[in-house]
Amino acid sequence: MKTKITIVLAALFVGLNMSYAQQDEECMNNLSIFDSYVKSKKYDDAYEPWKIVRNKCPRFNRAIYAHGEKILMHKIKNSSGADQVAHINDLMLLYDQSRENFKSKYDLGEILEDKANLAYKYKKELGKSNQELYDKFNEAYTKDAKNFTNPKALYTYFSLAVDLFDAGKMPAQDMFDKYDDVNEIIEGIVETNTVKLNKYAAKEEAGETLSKKDAKRKSSYESYIDAFDTKIIPSMDKKLGDRATCDVLIPLYQKSFEEKKNDKVWLQRAMNRMYAKGCKEDPLFLKLVEQKNSIQPTADTAYYLYLLTGEQKYFDQTLELQPDPLKKAKLYKKLANELKSKGSYGKARQYYMESMKLNPSDGSPYIAIAAMYAKSANNCGDTNFNKRAVFWLAASTAEKAGRIDGRLKSAASKSAASYRASAPSKSDIFTAGNSGQTIKIGCWIGRSVTVPSI
């Protein structure tokens, strides 16, 4: 349960029906007592007065549920056997009661995922099977996917699907579908938070200094996105592992193609998975793309056709069919990554820059551009000094990533330090006698760099 209220004693009673409060002085007094104990983390002392209010006045104040969760969590952690199971079940009941008595404050998906997380954490104590646990998370997904957003819950939900597949209790297609279900939820969460984050990135790009409040919000959005991008999704991919190699996917999709060839969702997911797993060279990938394009052209199908044919018209169609700026930014970055892997660095940089125009809080394209500069150093200078000078450009470019994207601050700093270590030293600058001068870098880079003054 998210603790959605920060409680100070004065605030506890805001909005309370005072005539009701006066009629039940016992609840008022005990609310004040258990609130004070909880603030001091004296959860055992808080337990009895909390129970009185919970049982006698269940709608008296939301602190019953916000504080009640902390009290029962303490009881669970500090008990064992039948007592512990009783406290676990009581917390399950409390979650239900919180929604029953304050429905507008507690979303169904949130409550169901909290109950599922609790059951999973104490699965041994409760004697729950993987199927029973999966069903609990699946209830949250099927009844209120919009509010099923907890990172840990989403990962556990998918992880249990893989465990059921391994045990022969879930078909491969259902497991892959569950990966896509969870991934789509995550994409929606990340997109929502990225839109919020970009507002602050735009302010900083314009030279504004964020207030402490805005800086805190920006950091919060970055952390939330980072949790999914660097922890949850990679963990899901690792869990999926070799269960989704081309050797597994191709026969599976070939077998189902005739039956599913008019199923737009199935075609889209099959295409995406084959592309993600590097199966795009197989004829089946083209077959899937062409079929999807014939019944429902989308930005994705146009993009895949562009990759397969290299025809500019398909890339133009990709952009036309994708009105969402963040999704368009992803397409630009995806194409840039493809071009980078093929060594088409100039074109890749162009698309990385287009991606950042649409999603200014994503600094990863600068990391990629810096890496391309570094890799090209030996080919883009006429002297040994000038070749090594490219590393200064790589370093400054990597640093830009850290400035606009707090999630990359550490990685950007390490990359920049590594590049600077390969650049000319002070003694090299002294020997060359070009301190403070500007060096023009040729080939595809076409940039200038200033030699540090010594």
Side-chain angles (χ1 to χ4, degrees):
M1 187 191 304
K2 299 170 188 168
T3 306
K4 293 186 175 180
I5 48 178
T6 303
I7 304 172
V8 292
L9 194 55
L12 276 171
F13 311 115
V14 173
L16 206 59
N17 185 319
M18 294 312 294
S19 62
Y20 173 73
Q22 289 164 3
Q23 289 171 21
D24 214 318
E25 190 176 347
E26 183 183 17
C27 286
M28 179 71 79
N29 290 338
N30 280 291
L31 175 66
S32 177
I33 292 168
F34 84 69
D35 170 67
S36 179
Y37 280 136
V38 168
K39 287 177 182 175
S40 303
K41 297 186 178 180
K42 296 178 180 178
Y43 300 115
D44 288 324
D45 292 330
Y47 185 66
E48 288 302 327
W50 167 73
K51 279 206 309 182
I52 291 171
V53 184
R54 177 192 181 186
N55 293 331
K56 190 172 184 181
C57 313
R59 297 187 180 182
F60 194 67
N61 192 284
R62 202 149 50 100
I64 297 167
Y65 306 100
H67 280 350
E69 182 181 32
K70 296 175 185 176
I71 293 168
L72 287 175
M73 280 294 193
H74 171 80
K75 288 290 187 182
I76 292 168
K77 289 176 183 176
N78 293 279
S79 60
S80 59
D83 286 343
Q84 186 181 47
V85 171
H87 289 312
I88 293 169
N89 288 329
D90 197 23
L91 181 53
M92 294 280 191
L93 177 61
L94 184 74
Y95 286 143
D96 288 333
Q97 290 174 337
S98 67
R99 180 164 167 79
E100 179 184 333
N101 292 299
F102 290 91
K103 189 172 183 179
S104 66
K105 303 298 182 182
Y106 294 101
D107 297 316
L108 178 61
E110 174 197 341
I111 294 303
L112 292 175
E113 73 183 10
D114 283 338
K115 291 176 68 175
N117 273 334
L118 185 64
Y120 183 78
K121 184 175 182 179
Y122 294 100
K123 57 186 176 183
K124 290 181 181 178
E125 291 79 0
L126 296 173
K128 297 293 185 183
S129 67
N130 281 346
Q131 185 65 60
E132 289 173 315
L133 293 166
Y134 175 83
D135 290 343
K136 282 187 171 293
F137 287 102
N138 195 49
E139 184 182 9
Y141 173 75
T142 54
K143 290 186 176 180
D144 191 13
K146 184 179 73 171
N147 292 303
F148 181 26
T149 58
N150 180 278
K152 181 180 177 182
L154 287 166
Y155 173 74
T156 305
Y157 180 37
F158 170 69
S159 179
L160 286 166
V162 176
D163 292 341
L164 290 173
F165 167 77
D166 288 346
K169 296 179 179 179
M170 179 177 284
Q173 183 64 62
D174 289 356
M175 176 185 63
F176 294 141
D177 285 345
K178 198 48 56 188
Y179 176 96
D180 291 324
D181 290 340
V182 173
N183 201 50
E184 285 169 10
I185 291 175
I186 291 173
E187 284 181 352
I189 295 170
V190 169
E191 183 169 340
T192 298
N193 282 273
T194 300
V195 169
K196 295 175 182 176
L197 180 59
N198 280 342
K199 293 178 182 177
Y200 299 110
K203 286 184 178 181
E204 288 185 313
E205 194 70 22
E208 293 184 40
T209 300
L210 297 182
S211 66
K212 286 185 179 180
K213 189 175 182 180
D214 284 348
K216 189 174 181 180
R217 285 174 177 167
K218 178 175 181 281
S219 178
S220 176
Y221 295 139
E222 286 176 338
S223 296
Y224 200 39
I225 294 168
D226 186 62
F228 286 110
D229 283 348
T230 67
K231 296 180 179 68
I232 303 303
I233 293 177
S235 295
M236 286 172 58
D237 289 336
K238 185 176 180 181
K239 179 82 176 182
L240 195 60
D242 58 8
R243 300 171 185 84
T245 61
C246 296
D247 289 341
V248 173
L249 295 173
I250 292 169
L252 177 68
Y253 293 146
Q254 282 178 331
K255 181 180 178 181
S256 303
F257 182 80
E258 285 303 318
E259 177 190 351
K260 301 282 191 177
K261 65 181 180 181
N262 293 313
D263 184 332
K264 298 168 187 175
V265 174
W266 182 86
L267 288 167
Q268 185 69 54
R269 290 180 168 185
M271 282 188 321
N272 290 346
R273 182 150 310 288
M274 286 192 69
Y275 174 79
K277 292 299 178 179
C279 313
K280 59 182 181 291
E281 304 302 326
D282 191 270
L284 178 61
F285 180 70
L286 176 59
K287 187 177 180 180
L288 290 166
V289 172
E290 289 179 334
Q291 175 63 13
K292 178 63 163 55
N293 197 56
S294 69
I295 62 174
Q296 186 189 43
T298 66
D300 283 330
T301 56
Y303 171 73
Y304 291 141
L305 285 170
Y306 174 72
L307 292 181
L308 292 167
T309 66
E311 294 183 30
Q312 185 63 33
K313 67 178 183 179
Y314 289 122
F315 186 66
D316 294 338
Q317 186 183 20
T318 299
L319 300 180
E320 289 170 11
L321 291 171
Q322 185 51 269
D324 186 303
L326 291 180
K327 288 185 171 66
K328 192 175 287 189
K330 281 186 178 181
L331 285 168
Y332 272 125
K333 190 163 78 167
K334 195 186 288 186
L335 180 60
N337 289 337
E338 283 280 341
L339 292 166
K340 177 174 174 278
S341 69
K342 295 175 181 176
S344 301
Y345 291 162
K347 200 71 174 173
R349 180 178 61 187
Q350 177 187 335
Y351 289 137
Y352 279 131
M353 297 304 291
E354 291 293 338
S355 175
M356 284 189 288
K357 286 179 186 176
L358 295 165
N359 187 9
S361 64
D362 179 12
S364 63
Y366 276 132
I367 296 288
I369 293 169
M372 293 191 298
Y373 287 158
K375 198 164 185 181
S376 301
N378 205 43
N379 301 317
C380 295
D382 53 355
T383 67
N384 183 57
F385 186 97
N386 288 355
K387 289 176 180 179
R388 292 172 60 202
V390 174
F391 288 103
W392 283 320
L393 179 63
S396 63
T397 303
E399 286 168 339
K400 288 180 182 178
R403 284 199 297 273
I404 69 168
D405 191 341
R407 297 162 293 175
L408 297 175
K409 194 164 289 185
S410 177
S413 179
K414 288 177 182 177
S415 295
S418 175
Y419 294 142
R420 289 193 193 284
S422 298
S425 64
K426 288 185 178 180
S427 60
D428 293 328
I429 297 171
F430 179 79
T431 300
N434 58 0
S435 174
Q437 293 181 13
T438 298
I439 295 175
K440 291 184 178 179
I441 301 170
C443 70
W444 73 271
I445 295 178
R447 299 286 189 270
S448 297
V449 65
T450 301
V451 178
S453 299
I454 58 170

